Amino acid sequence: MNKRYLIGVLIIVVFLVVGFFAFKDSKIEYANFQAASQNHKTCQVKGSWVKNKDSKFDPATNTFTFYMVDETNSEMKVVLDGAKPNNFEMAENVVAKGKVKDGYFHAKEVLTKCPSKYEGKGEDVQKSGS
């Protein structure tokens, strides 16, 4: 076989293997707190912030702590590595990415979904015609 051909095939195989593992690591499944507690894998939990419970940023540990309820209405303490996300107080929904560890959800990232100024309410939409 030609040496260049063999090197070309080897480079393609290396790129395919690296691409597969990069995709595998970026694929994070959605779960609720119960499923996250059982599988011990990194996952995404969608829910909402429990506003009547304590939330705080600790500059000594660079962590933001709050309580969240998932879509099954299960509540859990969430500890985020980092500061409070932008627009956290206005968020309709919260998605925490991380895993359950030591009885709380240890988040590496928290995403917020805020109400859009472009979305209308149902009663704002009028029917046209007859």
Side-chain angles (χ1 to χ4, degrees):
M1 274 194 183
N2 187 343
K3 197 173 190 179
R4 288 183 187 173
Y5 175 77
L6 188 59
I7 292 172
V9 169
L10 184 62
I11 290 172
I12 291 172
V13 169
V14 168
F15 276 113
L16 287 173
V17 169
V18 168
F20 170 76
F21 284 108
F23 175 74
K24 183 181 173 199
D25 289 343
S26 69
K27 183 181 164 231
I28 301 175
E29 297 179 7
Y30 277 92
N32 58 33
F33 285 133
Q34 181 181 2
S37 297
Q38 293 171 349
N39 69 20
H40 304 290
K41 293 181 183 178
T42 298
C43 59
Q44 301 182 79
V45 178
K46 182 179 179 184
S48 58
W49 169 38
V50 180
K51 295 179 181 183
N52 62 351
K53 288 226 172 169
D54 189 33
S55 64
K56 65 182 177 200
F57 175 71
D58 183 357
T61 59
N62 193 35
T63 56
F64 175 63
T65 304
F66 66 99
Y67 287 84
M68 177 177 149
V69 292
D70 66 12
E71 292 182 318
T72 64
N73 219 23
S74 295
E75 183 178 307
M76 186 170 279
K77 177 180 173 181
V78 177
V79 178
L80 169 65
D81 288 335
K84 177 171 55 171
N86 292 338
N87 301 325
F88 188 76
E89 288 85 9
M90 298 174 16
E92 288 180 344
N93 294 310
V94 176
V95 176
K97 294 180 182 181
K99 59 174 81 173
V100 175
K101 183 170 74 173
D102 300 326
Y104 65 88
F105 193 83
H106 185 87
K108 295 181 188 262
E109 185 178 7
V110 172
L111 306 172
T112 58
K113 167 123 175 47
C114 296
S116 172
K117 64 181 179 180
Y118 301 108
E119 292 178 2
K121 296 179 182 163
E123 59 269 11
D124 294 341
V125 178
Q126 301 280 329
K127 283 188 177 181
S128 61
S130 48

